[in-house]
């Protein structure tokens, strides 16, 4: 795996990232100089515009390379992860819960922004990156020490960091319940007698370092499994 081969050699890291030492230094020390904030209107006119970041070269090229390294790792995530990976979709996410008697949905607040620079450093270290290189890669993929929407690397990193939440919920759910996560949208379904409460789900989410924006319980027709 490329991550285990990086070591702490800056020249080797530059060669792997296909950038010069000066480009790496500039993008690491002050990544904001290569990022422009853009406001995007939401579908509901009453909602506040969504901010995303447009990344320019050389940071854009560097992030693209890191995203390519993360792609095979993301493809090996648990099947409950249905976004930001090959074959995943909102439709497939919904199909898992079709016909269930009770469905709980929750939306995470500021999904990318909840993931800190230290979270990203820890992720790269788990992937086998040496400490110094892990810090550099984390600085190249965060802005103001957190993930931001718009960066090529943010979706994969967010998915991988959020695996701690996936593992926690899967470990807590009773047999017969199903769980999926489509980016920041969580869904749990199953028999009425076995489903966790909204307060249970909130506690699990917060213990994994995330926050709940909205949550709700939906019931379907009588007789569903």
């Amino acid at each position: 795996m490329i991550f285990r081969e990086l070591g702490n050699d800056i020249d080797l890291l530059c060669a792997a990232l296909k950038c010069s030492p000066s480009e790496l230094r500039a993008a690491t020390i002050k990544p904001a100089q290569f990022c422009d904030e853009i406001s995007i209107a939401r579908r509901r006119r009453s909602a506040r515009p969504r901010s995303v970041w447009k990344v320019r070269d050389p940071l854009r090229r560097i992030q693209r390379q890191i995203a390519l390294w993360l792609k095979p790792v993301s493809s090996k995530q648990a099947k409950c992860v249905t976004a930001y990976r090959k074959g995943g979709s909102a439709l497939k996410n919904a199909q898992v819960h079709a016909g269930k008697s009770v469905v709980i949905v929750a939306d995470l607040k500021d999904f990318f922004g909840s993931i800190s620079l230290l979270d990203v450093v820890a992720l790269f270290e788990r992937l086998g990156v040496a400490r110094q290189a892990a810090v550099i890669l984390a600085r190249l993929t965060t802005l103001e020490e957190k993930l931001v929407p718009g960066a090529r690397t943010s979706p994969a990193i967010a998915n991988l960091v959020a695996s701690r939440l996936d593992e926690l919920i899967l470990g807590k759910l009773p047999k017969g319940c199903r769980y999926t996560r489509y980016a920041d949208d969580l869904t749990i379904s199953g028999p009425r007698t076995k489903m966790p409460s909204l307060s249970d789900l909130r506690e699990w989410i917060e213990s994994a370092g995330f926050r709940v924006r909205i949550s709700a319980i939906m019931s379907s027709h009588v007789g569903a499994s």
Side-chain angles (χ1 to χ4, degrees), residues 18-183:
K18 301 178 182 178
C19 67
S20 66
S22 61
E23 288 176 329
L24 181 65
R25 190 179 307 108
T28 303
I29 294 174
K30 194 175 180 182
Q33 66 182 310
F34 305 110
C35 301
D36 301 310
E37 188 174 10
I38 300 173
S39 293
I40 298 178
R42 298 182 186 268
R43 292 182 179 180
R44 290 188 297 109
R45 293 183 179 180
S46 59
R48 295 176 59 184
R50 182 168 64 97
S51 292
V52 299
W53 294 86
K54 182 179 180 181
V55 183
R56 293 179 279 103
D57 285 338
L59 182 57
R60 183 185 67 87
R61 287 189 284 104
I62 293 172
Q63 288 184 347
R64 182 174 58 193
Q65 188 62 46
I66 299 172
L68 288 174
W69 296 345
L70 291 168
K71 193 173 181 178
V73 183
S74 297
S75 68
K76 295 178 182 179
Q77 284 194 275
K79 292 182 179 179
C80 64
V81 180
T82 59
Y84 306 142
R85 62 185 303 180
K86 186 177 181 179
S89 70
L91 176 60
K92 288 187 177 181
N93 185 82
Q95 287 174 336
V96 173
H97 308 283
K100 300 299 183 182
S101 57
V102 178
V103 178
I104 296 177
V105 295
D107 180 27
L108 301 181
K109 183 177 182 181
D110 192 17
F111 182 43
F112 288 169
S114 297
I115 297 172
S116 69
L117 177 108
L118 293 179
D119 290 326
V120 182
V121 171
L123 169 63
F124 282 121
E125 287 188 307
R126 287 199 303 274
L127 295 177
V129 181
R131 177 69 179 185
Q132 182 179 342
V135 172
I136 292 173
L137 292 178
R139 291 196 177 280
L140 292 169
T141 53
T142 58
L143 188 63
E144 296 179 355
E145 300 197 353
K146 64 181 181 180
L147 286 188
V148 294
R152 183 78 170 267
T153 46
S154 288
I157 290 175
N159 251 359
L160 291 166
V161 171
S163 64
R164 67 192 182 202
L165 172 60
D166 302 330
E167 292 168 3
L168 189 154
I169 292 177
L170 289 172
K172 296 281 189 180
L173 281 184
K175 186 177 180 179
C177 293
R178 301 291 301 275
Y179 163 75
T180 59
R181 177 175 58 79
Y182 185 80

Side-chain angles (χ1 to χ4, degrees), residues 1-13 15-16 69 124 127-130 133 137:
M1 179 186 290
I2 182 66
F3 292 118
R4 298 186 185 279
E5 299 169 0
L6 292 176
N8 281 319
D9 188 293
I10 297 301
D11 290 333
L12 179 60
L13 184 59
W69 296 345
F124 282 121
L127 295 177
V129 181
L137 292 178

